[in-house]
Each structure stands twice: as structure tokens, then as C-alpha cells.
Amino acid sequence: MAPMKQNRTCLIFHLILVLASSWSRTIVNKEYGTFRSERSEWVFNHLVVDQVTGSVYLGAVNRIYKLSSDLDLMVSHLTGPDDDNPACYPPRIVQPCNEPLTMTNNVNKMLLIDYKENRLIACGSLYQGICKLLRLDDLFKLGEPSHKKEHYLSGVNDSGSVFGVIVADHDADAKLFIATAVDGKPEYFPTISSRRLTKNSEADGMFAYVFHDEFVASLIKIPSDTFTVIPDFDIYYIYGFSSDNFVYFLTLQPEMVTALGSTREQDYTSKLVRLCKADTTFNSYVELPIGCVKGGIEYRLLQAAYLSKAGAILARSLGIGPDDDVLFTVFSKGQKRRSKVPDESALCMFVLKSINERIKDRLQSCYRGEGFLDLAWLKVKDIACVTAPVPIDDRFCGLDINAPLGGSTLMQGIPVFSEEHDRMTSVISYVYNEHSLVFAGTKSGKLKKCINVAFQFEDC
């Protein structure tokens, strides 16, 4: 296992311990167990913790594991390897693949708990990204839809980013908002879409678009014209969550600037994307750039994020309520070198109410006819905002004009802490006895702890 993989694996289990601490309400004088896969190359990729039982589910290479809250193995499920070829396009039942097949590992790319139906959604890199639906109790396979184009969600590129957010509905099927790096295959993978999660895991409509007709659908695709400007353009999804009326994704994407020579470094922009949960045609799509400035230095390369509650003590200093959402983020310095990220990094926080206010301001200005849609990667050219006498309040979900909408003014987070040498790569937070605790994981596998507005850090 490469050193970076080892550090990330160690960090995963440090974060498990943090969560376990919050459940037990004690963080001292407690011994914890550890868990390792049977083979070192079966790297852990994702984890989710059951908020009801405390069970831990791990998505790994070729395996899904269920562990107890003490990290004892309860059951595992085999997901690979199998014969595959990344040049084979889905679904094979419709278009058989003539490429040579080789034994290929299945890298877990997404792991989500569907609480409403007591099942785990585990998507991998085999066969252009099909997903298994596993029973939470024993990881029994309930379904593995693969006969439609819509059943392929995440592509074969194991370095591509995938993030999913489940939105439950008491009176109807739940929805899965899924965002993925398309790896040059926009004809197969929308960059963001909303899919049906049917009660029956083997139903024909599982993962179908929530809405789809000849002209509009519950999706956003990257146009082919965008790849003409930047051939390797893609949107990398770092984090996603839902809050109140909306679903949010945090992204890293190339700037739409034509390269002036082969030596030019590509600039990247970190952006927050917001959609209404109930929007079936994605007219509510808005994205705005986010970043952080500390000591005159810009931090614009998003590395990680985590949504938490403010807690009573931090809330008082921010002038918000203790149950208001606060988004903690880690950025690296500058806007270049996505694959060779600078070690200088900063931990920052955003009050979600403030983000929503900025989005509302952007919507109101556009519907007054001011400026342009400012979403170059989707429109490839400037399109002027259209004046429309529409009241835009905190729950406005867009119309079929002025959508999708972007922006160029940076939303700045509140800088908390910066690190010059040991780049922060992960972050998690929770409220303990009215205190807001934030833990940032570093490239070398260390943890830094932050408490409330004092933000006193110490290495763990």
C-alpha cells in the first residue's frame, strides 16, 4: 500500500473513533479496536456509520465490510474482481463488448445508507459503475440493476469523484442526487442527476431519472462544446449534503480559459452547487465560487468539507442559533496543480444561512436583468440575464429562464487555522456539551483539534 493510502486509511479510523466518542459521551480512558482488510491492496475507499445501530460499513477494493461499533468484523460481501475492460460501454446486455476482458478489481466509489428501506447502496468501478443494493443486517444482495443505461452511475475511473445524497419522502420513493466526474463520457454520465430509489430493489425503475422527457430531465450534462475548449474538462465532486429545502455539492473544476501553449498550468475554481430537493427539471441549479483568504493568501483548492451544527458556544460568537448549519472546509493554497496540491492549507468555515443569502442575492440580481448567467462551462458563451417580475424568497426554486445560473464573486469563508507544511486533507466536526469540536486530518496522518471560537489546535 502506498504511503498516502496508508495515511488516509489510518485517518479513516481516527475519524471513526471521533464519532464513537460522540456516541459514548466520553473521550477519555477508552481503548478502541482496529480492523484491517485481508490483503493490503484491498484499500478502504469509503465508510458510513449507521446512526441507529452504530454499525460501520466500509467500502473497499473488492469488498464491502460491516463492522460493529468496536470495529469487530460482522460480515463481508464480495464485489470483485471480475472480467472487464474500461472500453466496454453499458449496458452490455444491449451492446456486447468486443474488447478483450481481463480480471479487474472493483474499487468502491460510493457508499450510502438508505434508512427508509434498510439497505446499503454500494457503487463500484466495474462495468462502468453499476451499484449493488445490500441489506443492512447481513449484506445480502437485494438487487444489482444493470440492464439500462441509467443503471450505470459512476464510470470506471477509480480516481474520479462520485458523491450521492439521499432525499427521503414519506409519501413517495426516495430520491438519490448523484454527482460524478464523467471522465470524458458525458453521453453516458450526466455530471449531476436525481434518480428514483424504488422500494423494490429489483424494480425496473430503480435509478431512473426522477423526470425525463424529450426536452428536459432531472440532470445536468457537460456539453460537447466544453470539451472542445478544454479537452480534459471535468467536475470533481468533493462533498455533498442536504439541508432544509436544498441539496448542495462542493466541487473543484477547471477554469474555462483556452490554453495558450502546452506549458500553461490549468487554473481550478472551487464552487458550491445548490439545487432544490423538489426540483425535477433542475431549473434551480446555481453555482458560486468559494474560497478562503488568510493573511493576504488565497486558499482556493478545495480538499475536504463537513457539515455540522454550530453548538451553543460557537453560535453565540457567530450570531446564529445552536442548531444552525455550519460548513467546515479545507482548502489548499492557490488555484493550480490539482494533481500536485501545495502543502499550504487552511481550515475555514461558512455559515450556511450566509451562503443561502448570497445565492438569493445572485438570483434577485439576475431576475432584475443584471449581468449574465455566468456559467461558462455549460453555456460556453455569455448569455444575458432576463428581467422577470418574480418574488424570490428563501425557498425560490427557479424558472425555465435564467437557469442554470452561475456567478463570479467569491464567497469567502471565515479562516480558522492554516498549516504550511503538513497539508490538511480531511475534516470532521460534531457538538459535544455545547462545544463545537473540529478535527482536521493531515497528509502525514496526524489530527488537529479545534474547539469553538478559541480554535486552539493540538496534534493527536
Side-chain angles (χ1 to χ4, degrees), residues 359-360 363-365 367-368 388 390-396:
I359 292 175
K360 184 170 70 173
L363 285 164
Q364 289 173 338
S365 68
Y367 276 81
R368 289 194 298 266
V390 180
I392 297 173
D393 58 16
D394 293 336
R395 302 179 71 84
F396 180 72

Side-chain angles (χ1 to χ4, degrees), residues 13-14 16-17 31-37 44 58 67 69-73:
F13 287 103
H14 275 99
I16 289 176
L17 302 190
E31 294 183 2
Y32 298 100
T34 59
F35 174 76
R36 298 179 184 274
S37 60
F44 304 134
L58 278 176
L67 312 179
S69 58
D70 292 325
L71 304 189
D72 294 325
L73 177 63

Side-chain angles (χ1 to χ4, degrees), residues 28 245 345:
V28 294
N245 195 40
S345 58

Side-chain angles (χ1 to χ4, degrees), residues 312-387:
I313 297 175
L314 177 59
R316 283 197 293 270
S317 69
L318 295 174
I320 59 177
D323 290 326
D324 284 355
D325 288 327
V326 176
L327 182 65
F328 293 96
T329 55
V330 170
F331 293 92
S332 282
K333 179 182 175 182
Q335 288 184 261
K336 295 183 174 67
R337 297 181 296 172
R338 187 185 72 86
S339 59
K340 297 179 180 179
V341 182
D343 283 335
E344 298 97 325
S345 58
L347 173 66
C348 307
M349 66 177 176
F350 296 81
V351 176
L352 197 60
K353 279 185 176 179
S354 298
I355 288 176
N356 288 328
E357 281 297 317
R358 286 288 303 277
I359 292 175
K360 184 170 70 173
D361 290 344
R362 176 68 182 112
L363 285 164
Q364 289 173 338
S365 68
C366 189
Y367 276 81
R368 289 194 298 266
E370 300 171 5
F372 299 86
L373 298 189
D374 208 1
L375 196 58
W377 69 264
L378 186 61
K379 303 297 184 181
V380 191
K381 61 181 180 179
D382 288 335
I383 297 177
C385 290
V386 177
T387 303

Side-chain angles (χ1 to χ4, degrees), residues 111-176:
L111 202 64
L112 291 172
I113 294 178
D114 182 359
Y115 288 99
K116 184 178 179 181
E117 303 301 337
N118 191 46
R119 61 193 175 190
L120 187 71
I121 302 173
C123 303
S125 59
L126 276 180
Y127 321 126
Q128 300 287 348
I130 62 174
C131 303
K132 291 175 179 279
L133 295 114
L134 308 175
R135 190 162 57 203
L136 287 180
D137 302 335
D138 54 7
L139 298 186
F140 174 79
K141 187 175 78 172
L142 300 170
E144 190 177 16
S146 60
H147 61 281
K148 288 185 174 181
K149 188 176 178 180
E150 292 82 1
H151 292 154
Y152 297 77
L153 299 182
S154 62
V156 299
N157 183 2
D158 58 36
S159 64
S161 62
V162 182
F163 221 101
V165 177
I166 294 176
V167 175
D169 190 324
H170 295 295
D171 302 321
D173 291 336
K175 291 184 290 189
L176 169 64

